[in-house]
Amino acid sequence: MDSNKFHGLLAGSVPPPEAGPLLQALWHDANDAWDRAHKLAQSQKDKAGARVHAYLHRKEGDLDNAAYWYGRAGEPMPQTSPEQEWEALVTALTAASRENR
């Protein structure tokens, strides 16, 4: 799945099952279901999961918690807007999903 297809699926009633848990988390976030997005991100124990988890806490405004999760992801807190960060995450995760096929 590429980012354009993912964007086209945002208006659906459920996240695309082929998207994987982190893209599904971002789908839920875009559809105002932060708690569901958080549960999905929290279930992923790798750096990508920590990265999405960090974004969610940053968006929520819990910057101390976000900083902890950015540290777990091995990345600094972005200086971009949360919307730009969301786009960058979608782009990175869809690219990774295409590479892993």
Short mmCIF file of all heavy atoms in Angstrom, two decimals, residues 32-84:
data_model
loop_
_atom_site.label_atom_id
_atom_site.label_comp_id
_atom_site.label_asym_id
_atom_site.label_seq_id
_atom_site.Cartn_x
_atom_site.Cartn_y
_atom_site.Cartn_z
N ASP A 32 -10.11 10.45 14.80
CA ASP A 32 -10.45 10.90 16.16
C ASP A 32 -10.69 9.76 17.16
O ASP A 32 -11.55 9.86 18.03
CB ASP A 32 -11.66 11.85 16.13
CG ASP A 32 -11.37 13.11 15.34
OD1 ASP A 32 -10.23 13.61 15.43
OD2 ASP A 32 -12.26 13.58 14.62
N ALA A 33 -9.93 8.69 17.01
CA ALA A 33 -10.02 7.58 17.96
C ALA A 33 -8.64 7.40 18.60
O ALA A 33 -7.97 6.39 18.41
CB ALA A 33 -10.49 6.32 17.26
N TRP A 34 -8.23 8.43 19.37
CA TRP A 34 -6.89 8.45 19.94
C TRP A 34 -6.63 7.24 20.84
O TRP A 34 -5.56 6.64 20.78
CB TRP A 34 -6.66 9.74 20.72
CG TRP A 34 -5.25 9.92 21.17
CD1 TRP A 34 -4.26 10.59 20.51
CD2 TRP A 34 -4.63 9.41 22.36
NE1 TRP A 34 -3.08 10.54 21.21
CE2 TRP A 34 -3.29 9.81 22.35
CE3 TRP A 34 -5.10 8.65 23.43
CZ2 TRP A 34 -2.40 9.49 23.37
CZ3 TRP A 34 -4.21 8.32 24.45
CH2 TRP A 34 -2.88 8.74 24.42
N ASP A 35 -7.59 6.87 21.67
CA ASP A 35 -7.38 5.74 22.59
C ASP A 35 -7.10 4.45 21.83
O ASP A 35 -6.19 3.69 22.19
CB ASP A 35 -8.58 5.55 23.50
CG ASP A 35 -8.69 6.63 24.57
OD1 ASP A 35 -7.65 7.21 24.94
OD2 ASP A 35 -9.81 6.89 25.03
N ARG A 36 -7.84 4.20 20.77
CA ARG A 36 -7.61 3.00 19.96
C ARG A 36 -6.24 3.08 19.29
O ARG A 36 -5.50 2.10 19.23
CB ARG A 36 -8.72 2.83 18.91
CG ARG A 36 -8.58 1.60 18.09
CD ARG A 36 -8.79 0.33 18.93
NE ARG A 36 -8.57 -0.83 18.10
CZ ARG A 36 -7.80 -1.85 18.45
NH1 ARG A 36 -7.23 -1.89 19.62
NH2 ARG A 36 -7.63 -2.85 17.64
N ALA A 37 -5.89 4.26 18.78
CA ALA A 37 -4.57 4.45 18.15
C ALA A 37 -3.47 4.17 19.17
O ALA A 37 -2.48 3.49 18.86
CB ALA A 37 -4.46 5.87 17.61
N HIS A 38 -3.64 4.67 20.37
CA HIS A 38 -2.64 4.50 21.42
C HIS A 38 -2.47 3.03 21.77
O HIS A 38 -1.35 2.54 21.91
CB HIS A 38 -3.05 5.32 22.65
CG HIS A 38 -2.07 5.26 23.75
ND1 HIS A 38 -2.29 4.53 24.89
CD2 HIS A 38 -0.84 5.84 23.89
CE1 HIS A 38 -1.25 4.67 25.69
NE2 HIS A 38 -0.35 5.46 25.11
N LYS A 39 -3.57 2.29 21.90
CA LYS A 39 -3.48 0.86 22.22
C LYS A 39 -2.71 0.10 21.14
O LYS A 39 -1.90 -0.77 21.45
CB LYS A 39 -4.87 0.27 22.40
CG LYS A 39 -5.50 0.66 23.71
CD LYS A 39 -6.89 0.08 23.85
CE LYS A 39 -7.51 0.61 25.13
NZ LYS A 39 -8.90 0.27 25.27
N LEU A 40 -2.97 0.42 19.89
CA LEU A 40 -2.26 -0.25 18.79
C LEU A 40 -0.78 0.08 18.81
O LEU A 40 0.07 -0.80 18.65
CB LEU A 40 -2.88 0.11 17.45
CG LEU A 40 -4.20 -0.56 17.13
CD1 LEU A 40 -4.90 0.14 15.96
CD2 LEU A 40 -3.96 -2.03 16.79
N ALA A 41 -0.45 1.35 18.98
CA ALA A 41 0.96 1.75 19.00
C ALA A 41 1.67 1.12 20.19
O ALA A 41 2.79 0.62 20.06
CB ALA A 41 1.08 3.27 19.04
N GLN A 42 1.01 1.11 21.32
CA GLN A 42 1.60 0.57 22.54
C GLN A 42 1.84 -0.93 22.43
O GLN A 42 2.74 -1.47 23.08
CB GLN A 42 0.67 0.88 23.71
CG GLN A 42 1.27 0.79 25.06
CD GLN A 42 0.33 1.35 26.10
OE1 GLN A 42 -0.89 1.28 25.97
NE2 GLN A 42 0.89 1.92 27.15
N SER A 43 1.08 -1.61 21.59
CA SER A 43 1.23 -3.06 21.44
C SER A 43 2.47 -3.45 20.64
O SER A 43 2.88 -4.60 20.66
CB SER A 43 -0.01 -3.66 20.78
OG SER A 43 -0.05 -3.36 19.39
N GLN A 44 3.06 -2.49 19.96
CA GLN A 44 4.23 -2.76 19.12
C GLN A 44 5.49 -2.43 19.92
O GLN A 44 5.68 -1.29 20.33
CB GLN A 44 4.18 -1.94 17.83
CG GLN A 44 2.93 -2.20 17.01
CD GLN A 44 2.77 -3.67 16.66
OE1 GLN A 44 3.60 -4.25 15.98
NE2 GLN A 44 1.71 -4.28 17.15
N LYS A 45 6.32 -3.40 20.13
CA LYS A 45 7.47 -3.25 21.04
C LYS A 45 8.78 -2.88 20.34
O LYS A 45 9.83 -2.95 20.93
CB LYS A 45 7.67 -4.55 21.83
CG LYS A 45 6.43 -4.99 22.59
CD LYS A 45 5.97 -3.95 23.58
CE LYS A 45 4.77 -4.44 24.37
NZ LYS A 45 4.12 -3.41 25.13
N ASP A 46 8.70 -2.44 19.08
CA ASP A 46 9.91 -2.07 18.36
C ASP A 46 10.05 -0.55 18.28
O ASP A 46 9.23 0.19 18.83
CB ASP A 46 9.91 -2.70 16.97
CG ASP A 46 8.69 -2.30 16.14
OD1 ASP A 46 7.87 -1.46 16.58
OD2 ASP A 46 8.55 -2.84 15.02
N LYS A 47 11.10 -0.09 17.61
CA LYS A 47 11.35 1.36 17.50
C LYS A 47 10.25 2.07 16.71
O LYS A 47 9.90 3.20 17.03
CB LYS A 47 12.71 1.63 16.88
CG LYS A 47 13.84 1.36 17.84
CD LYS A 47 15.17 1.80 17.28
CE LYS A 47 16.24 1.59 18.35
NZ LYS A 47 17.47 2.26 18.04
N ALA A 48 9.69 1.40 15.70
CA ALA A 48 8.61 2.02 14.93
C ALA A 48 7.38 2.23 15.82
O ALA A 48 6.72 3.26 15.75
CB ALA A 48 8.27 1.17 13.70
N GLY A 49 7.09 1.24 16.67
CA GLY A 49 5.98 1.39 17.61
C GLY A 49 6.23 2.52 18.59
O GLY A 49 5.33 3.31 18.89
N ALA A 50 7.46 2.62 19.08
CA ALA A 50 7.81 3.71 19.98
C ALA A 50 7.67 5.06 19.28
O ALA A 50 7.23 6.05 19.89
CB ALA A 50 9.23 3.54 20.50
N ARG A 51 8.00 5.10 18.01
CA ARG A 51 7.93 6.35 17.24
C ARG A 51 6.49 6.83 17.09
O ARG A 51 6.18 8.01 17.28
CB ARG A 51 8.58 6.12 15.87
CG ARG A 51 8.63 7.32 14.98
CD ARG A 51 9.58 8.36 15.57
NE ARG A 51 9.65 9.50 14.69
CZ ARG A 51 8.72 10.45 14.63
NH1 ARG A 51 7.65 10.39 15.37
NH2 ARG A 51 8.86 11.45 13.80
N VAL A 52 5.58 5.91 16.74
CA VAL A 52 4.17 6.28 16.62
C VAL A 52 3.60 6.62 17.99
O VAL A 52 2.84 7.58 18.13
CB VAL A 52 3.36 5.16 15.92
CG1 VAL A 52 1.87 5.46 15.95
CG2 VAL A 52 3.84 4.98 14.48
N HIS A 53 4.00 5.88 19.00
CA HIS A 53 3.58 6.14 20.37
C HIS A 53 3.99 7.56 20.78
O HIS A 53 3.20 8.32 21.37
CB HIS A 53 4.21 5.10 21.28
CG HIS A 53 3.58 4.95 22.61
ND1 HIS A 53 3.77 3.85 23.39
CD2 HIS A 53 2.78 5.78 23.35
CE1 HIS A 53 3.11 3.99 24.52
NE2 HIS A 53 2.51 5.16 24.52
N ALA A 54 5.23 7.93 20.46
CA ALA A 54 5.74 9.27 20.77
C ALA A 54 4.90 10.34 20.08
O ALA A 54 4.51 11.34 20.71
CB ALA A 54 7.19 9.38 20.33
N TYR A 55 4.63 10.14 18.79
CA TYR A 55 3.81 11.09 18.04
C TYR A 55 2.45 11.29 18.72
O TYR A 55 1.98 12.42 18.88
CB TYR A 55 3.61 10.62 16.59
CG TYR A 55 2.36 11.16 15.98
CD1 TYR A 55 2.29 12.48 15.55
CD2 TYR A 55 1.21 10.38 15.89
CE1 TYR A 55 1.11 13.00 15.03
CE2 TYR A 55 0.03 10.89 15.38
CZ TYR A 55 -0.01 12.20 14.95
OH TYR A 55 -1.19 12.71 14.45
N LEU A 56 1.82 10.20 19.12
CA LEU A 56 0.49 10.30 19.73
C LEU A 56 0.53 11.11 21.02
O LEU A 56 -0.36 11.94 21.26
CB LEU A 56 -0.08 8.90 19.98
CG LEU A 56 -0.48 8.14 18.72
CD1 LEU A 56 -0.73 6.67 19.04
CD2 LEU A 56 -1.70 8.77 18.05
N HIS A 57 1.55 10.90 21.84
CA HIS A 57 1.65 11.69 23.07
C HIS A 57 1.99 13.14 22.77
O HIS A 57 1.50 14.05 23.46
CB HIS A 57 2.64 11.06 24.04
CG HIS A 57 2.07 9.87 24.73
ND1 HIS A 57 1.00 9.95 25.60
CD2 HIS A 57 2.38 8.55 24.66
CE1 HIS A 57 0.70 8.76 26.05
NE2 HIS A 57 1.53 7.88 25.49
N ARG A 58 2.79 13.38 21.75
CA ARG A 58 3.08 14.77 21.37
C ARG A 58 1.81 15.46 20.92
O ARG A 58 1.51 16.59 21.33
CB ARG A 58 4.12 14.79 20.25
CG ARG A 58 4.42 16.19 19.76
CD ARG A 58 5.49 16.16 18.67
NE ARG A 58 5.66 17.49 18.13
CZ ARG A 58 5.64 17.78 16.85
NH1 ARG A 58 5.50 16.83 15.95
NH2 ARG A 58 5.80 19.02 16.44
N LYS A 59 1.03 14.78 20.09
CA LYS A 59 -0.21 15.37 19.59
C LYS A 59 -1.17 15.66 20.74
O LYS A 59 -1.85 16.67 20.75
CB LYS A 59 -0.87 14.43 18.58
CG LYS A 59 -2.14 14.99 18.01
CD LYS A 59 -2.78 14.05 17.02
CE LYS A 59 -4.09 14.65 16.54
NZ LYS A 59 -4.85 13.70 15.77
N GLU A 60 -1.20 14.77 21.71
CA GLU A 60 -2.07 14.92 22.87
C GLU A 60 -1.62 16.08 23.77
O GLU A 60 -2.40 16.59 24.57
CB GLU A 60 -2.10 13.58 23.61
CG GLU A 60 -2.23 13.63 25.08
CD GLU A 60 -2.04 12.31 25.78
OE1 GLU A 60 -0.91 11.79 25.79
OE2 GLU A 60 -3.02 11.83 26.33
N GLY A 61 -0.35 16.48 23.63
CA GLY A 61 0.17 17.57 24.43
C GLY A 61 0.97 17.11 25.65
O GLY A 61 1.41 17.93 26.45
N ASP A 62 1.17 15.80 25.79
CA ASP A 62 1.95 15.25 26.90
C ASP A 62 3.42 15.16 26.44
O ASP A 62 3.91 14.10 26.08
CB ASP A 62 1.40 13.89 27.29
CG ASP A 62 2.06 13.30 28.53
OD1 ASP A 62 3.08 13.87 28.99
OD2 ASP A 62 1.55 12.28 29.02
N LEU A 63 4.10 16.30 26.46
CA LEU A 63 5.45 16.37 25.89
C LEU A 63 6.49 15.60 26.67
O LEU A 63 7.44 15.08 26.08
CB LEU A 63 5.86 17.83 25.70
CG LEU A 63 4.97 18.63 24.75
CD1 LEU A 63 5.51 20.05 24.59
CD2 LEU A 63 4.82 17.95 23.41
N ASP A 64 6.33 15.48 27.99
CA ASP A 64 7.28 14.68 28.77
C ASP A 64 7.19 13.21 28.38
O ASP A 64 8.21 12.55 28.18
CB ASP A 64 7.04 14.84 30.27
CG ASP A 64 7.44 16.22 30.79
OD1 ASP A 64 8.27 16.88 30.13
OD2 ASP A 64 6.91 16.63 31.84
N ASN A 65 5.98 12.70 28.27
CA ASN A 65 5.78 11.32 27.87
C ASN A 65 6.25 11.12 26.43
O ASN A 65 6.90 10.12 26.10
CB ASN A 65 4.30 10.93 28.02
CG ASN A 65 4.08 9.46 28.15
OD1 ASN A 65 4.96 8.64 27.95
ND2 ASN A 65 2.85 9.10 28.47
N ALA A 66 5.95 12.09 25.56
CA ALA A 66 6.41 12.01 24.17
C ALA A 66 7.93 11.95 24.11
O ALA A 66 8.50 11.13 23.38
CB ALA A 66 5.90 13.22 23.38
N ALA A 67 8.61 12.78 24.90
CA ALA A 67 10.08 12.79 24.90
C ALA A 67 10.63 11.42 25.29
O ALA A 67 11.61 10.95 24.71
CB ALA A 67 10.60 13.88 25.84
N TYR A 68 10.01 10.79 26.27
CA TYR A 68 10.43 9.45 26.67
C TYR A 68 10.33 8.49 25.49
O TYR A 68 11.28 7.74 25.21
CB TYR A 68 9.56 8.95 27.84
CG TYR A 68 9.76 7.49 28.11
CD1 TYR A 68 10.86 7.05 28.85
CD2 TYR A 68 8.88 6.53 27.61
CE1 TYR A 68 11.07 5.70 29.09
CE2 TYR A 68 9.07 5.18 27.86
CZ TYR A 68 10.17 4.77 28.59
OH TYR A 68 10.37 3.43 28.81
N TRP A 69 9.21 8.53 24.77
CA TRP A 69 9.01 7.58 23.66
C TRP A 69 9.88 7.92 22.46
O TRP A 69 10.34 7.02 21.75
CB TRP A 69 7.53 7.48 23.30
CG TRP A 69 6.82 6.69 24.36
CD1 TRP A 69 6.03 7.17 25.37
CD2 TRP A 69 6.91 5.28 24.55
NE1 TRP A 69 5.62 6.14 26.16
CE2 TRP A 69 6.13 4.97 25.70
CE3 TRP A 69 7.56 4.26 23.88
CZ2 TRP A 69 5.99 3.67 26.15
CZ3 TRP A 69 7.41 2.96 24.35
CH2 TRP A 69 6.64 2.68 25.48
N TYR A 70 10.15 9.20 22.21
CA TYR A 70 11.11 9.54 21.15
C TYR A 70 12.48 8.97 21.50
O TYR A 70 13.19 8.45 20.64
CB TYR A 70 11.21 11.05 20.92
CG TYR A 70 10.04 11.63 20.18
CD1 TYR A 70 9.16 12.52 20.79
CD2 TYR A 70 9.80 11.30 18.84
CE1 TYR A 70 8.08 13.06 20.10
CE2 TYR A 70 8.73 11.84 18.15
CZ TYR A 70 7.87 12.71 18.79
OH TYR A 70 6.80 13.23 18.11
N GLY A 71 12.84 9.05 22.78
CA GLY A 71 14.10 8.45 23.22
C GLY A 71 14.12 6.95 22.99
O GLY A 71 15.13 6.40 22.54
N ARG A 72 13.03 6.27 23.29
CA ARG A 72 12.94 4.82 23.04
C ARG A 72 13.05 4.52 21.54
O ARG A 72 13.56 3.48 21.17
CB ARG A 72 11.61 4.25 23.56
CG ARG A 72 11.44 4.28 25.06
CD ARG A 72 12.13 3.12 25.78
NE ARG A 72 11.80 1.81 25.30
CZ ARG A 72 10.88 1.01 25.82
NH1 ARG A 72 10.17 1.41 26.85
NH2 ARG A 72 10.68 -0.19 25.32
N ALA A 73 12.56 5.44 20.72
CA ALA A 73 12.64 5.26 19.27
C ALA A 73 14.02 5.64 18.73
O ALA A 73 14.33 5.36 17.57
CB ALA A 73 11.57 6.09 18.57
N GLY A 74 14.82 6.30 19.56
CA GLY A 74 16.15 6.74 19.12
C GLY A 74 16.11 7.95 18.20
O GLY A 74 16.99 8.13 17.36
N GLU A 75 15.08 8.78 18.38
CA GLU A 75 14.92 9.96 17.53
C GLU A 75 14.59 11.19 18.37
O GLU A 75 13.94 11.06 19.41
CB GLU A 75 13.79 9.73 16.52
CG GLU A 75 14.10 8.62 15.54
CD GLU A 75 13.11 8.57 14.40
OE1 GLU A 75 12.52 9.62 14.08
OE2 GLU A 75 12.93 7.48 13.86
N PRO A 76 15.00 12.36 17.89
CA PRO A 76 14.63 13.59 18.60
C PRO A 76 13.17 13.94 18.30
O PRO A 76 12.60 13.50 17.31
CB PRO A 76 15.57 14.64 18.00
CG PRO A 76 15.83 14.14 16.62
CD PRO A 76 15.85 12.63 16.72
N MET A 77 12.60 14.75 19.17
CA MET A 77 11.24 15.23 18.91
C MET A 77 11.28 16.14 17.68
O MET A 77 12.11 17.05 17.62
CB MET A 77 10.70 16.00 20.12
CG MET A 77 9.22 16.29 20.01
SD MET A 77 8.51 17.11 21.48
CE MET A 77 8.89 15.96 22.79
N PRO A 78 10.42 15.92 16.72
CA PRO A 78 10.43 16.74 15.50
C PRO A 78 10.09 18.20 15.79
O PRO A 78 9.38 18.50 16.75
CB PRO A 78 9.35 16.10 14.62
CG PRO A 78 9.09 14.77 15.19
CD PRO A 78 9.42 14.85 16.65
N GLN A 79 10.58 19.05 14.94
CA GLN A 79 10.27 20.47 15.02
C GLN A 79 9.14 20.85 14.06
O GLN A 79 8.84 22.03 13.91
CB GLN A 79 11.54 21.30 14.72
CG GLN A 79 12.66 21.03 15.71
CD GLN A 79 12.26 21.34 17.14
OE1 GLN A 79 11.76 22.41 17.45
NE2 GLN A 79 12.45 20.37 18.03
N THR A 80 8.55 19.86 13.42
CA THR A 80 7.45 20.09 12.50
C THR A 80 6.13 20.06 13.25
O THR A 80 6.08 19.70 14.42
CB THR A 80 7.43 19.00 11.40
OG1 THR A 80 7.25 17.73 12.04
CG2 THR A 80 8.71 19.00 10.60
N SER A 81 5.05 20.38 12.56
CA SER A 81 3.72 20.30 13.17
C SER A 81 3.32 18.83 13.33
O SER A 81 3.85 17.96 12.62
CB SER A 81 2.70 21.02 12.29
OG SER A 81 2.47 20.26 11.11
N PRO A 82 2.39 18.55 14.22
CA PRO A 82 1.90 17.17 14.32
C PRO A 82 1.32 16.65 12.99
O PRO A 82 1.48 15.47 12.67
CB PRO A 82 0.82 17.25 15.41
CG PRO A 82 1.27 18.39 16.27
CD PRO A 82 1.86 19.38 15.30
N GLU A 83 0.69 17.52 12.24
CA GLU A 83 0.14 17.11 10.94
C GLU A 83 1.26 16.69 9.98
O GLU A 83 1.13 15.69 9.27
CB GLU A 83 -0.69 18.25 10.33
CG GLU A 83 -1.92 18.61 11.12
CD GLU A 83 -1.66 19.51 12.33
OE1 GLU A 83 -0.56 20.09 12.44
OE2 GLU A 83 -2.56 19.61 13.18
N GLN A 84 2.34 17.45 9.98
CA GLN A 84 3.49 17.09 9.13
C GLN A 84 4.15 15.81 9.62
O GLN A 84 4.58 14.98 8.82
CB GLN A 84 4.50 18.24 9.11
CG GLN A 84 4.01 19.44 8.35
CD GLN A 84 4.92 20.65 8.56
OE1 GLN A 84 5.33 20.94 9.68
NE2 GLN A 84 5.22 21.33 7.47
#
